[in-house]
């Protein structure tokens, strides 16, 4: 009986940790670099981040992933595409929307690159104030 309880508890823990590093991206609610910076913070805390979006926001998720990859901060681990049924129609009929999930992991140079960009910001701030 104890083994079953421990198994259920471990499942709940992995499900909780998976949700903590997930970002549901919108192309209208927040600016692009809000999500880029949030993804960086999540990668610092959890070593990986999952970006998710529906419909028109898919392009925003792909852009965020490409920005992080081009800066050398992230590598793609997994990309999942699917469709989701939503009740958006006025008559309550289900409407299918495309969905994408991109799992990004930290690169080996992530911490060094983040430290270098933090130093760069400190120098710029010091010059402005000095």
């Amino acid at each position: 009986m104890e083994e079953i309880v421990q198994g259920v508890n471990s499942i709940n823990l992995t499900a909780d940790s998976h949700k903590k590093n997930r970002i549901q991206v919108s192309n209208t609610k927040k600016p692009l670099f809000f999500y880029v910076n949030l993804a960086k913070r999540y990668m610092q805390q959890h070593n990986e981040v999952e970006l998710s979006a529906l419909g028109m926001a898919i392009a925003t998720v792909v852009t965020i992933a490409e920005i992080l990859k081009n800066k050398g901060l992230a590598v793609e681990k997994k990309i999942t595409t699917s469709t989701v049924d939503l009740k958006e129609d006025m008559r309550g009929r289900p409407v299918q929307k495309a969905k994408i999930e991109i799992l990004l992991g930290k690169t080996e140079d992530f911490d060094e690159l983040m430290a270098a960009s933090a130093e760069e910001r400190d120098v710029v701030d010091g010059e402005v104030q000095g």
Side-chain angles (χ1 to χ4, degrees), residues 3 27 35 46 49 54 60 89 91 97 101 121 124:
E3 292 173 7
N27 60 337
Y35 292 113
H46 305 287
V49 64
L54 294 174
T60 306
D89 197 317
R91 298 181 198 108
K97 282 213 168 190
E101 295 172 336
R121 276 195 309 271
V124 170

Side-chain angles (χ1 to χ4, degrees), residues 9-83:
N9 288 341
S10 68
I11 290 171
N12 290 340
L13 291 175
T14 55
D16 289 344
S17 66
H18 182 68
K19 294 292 181 189
K20 287 179 185 174
N21 65 339
R22 187 166 192 266
I23 301 172
Q24 180 71 37
V25 175
S26 167
N27 60 337
T28 57
K29 292 187 179 172
K30 299 279 184 186
L32 175 70
F33 278 93
F34 169 83
Y35 292 113
V36 172
N37 292 326
L38 186 61
K40 286 180 192 176
R41 194 172 325 131
Y42 279 23
M43 283 195 292
Q44 281 178 325
Q45 293 170 350
H46 305 287
N47 294 328
E48 61 184 25
V49 64
E50 182 178 320
L51 302 169
S52 176
L54 294 174
M56 299 293 284
I58 289 174
T60 306
V61 165
V62 172
T63 303
I64 294 164
E66 289 301 316
I67 288 169
L68 293 169
K69 286 175 16 186
N70 289 337
K71 287 185 176 184
L73 298 171
V75 291
E76 285 175 8
K77 287 186 168 185
K78 182 178 161 188
I79 299 176
T80 308
T81 58
S82 60
T83 56

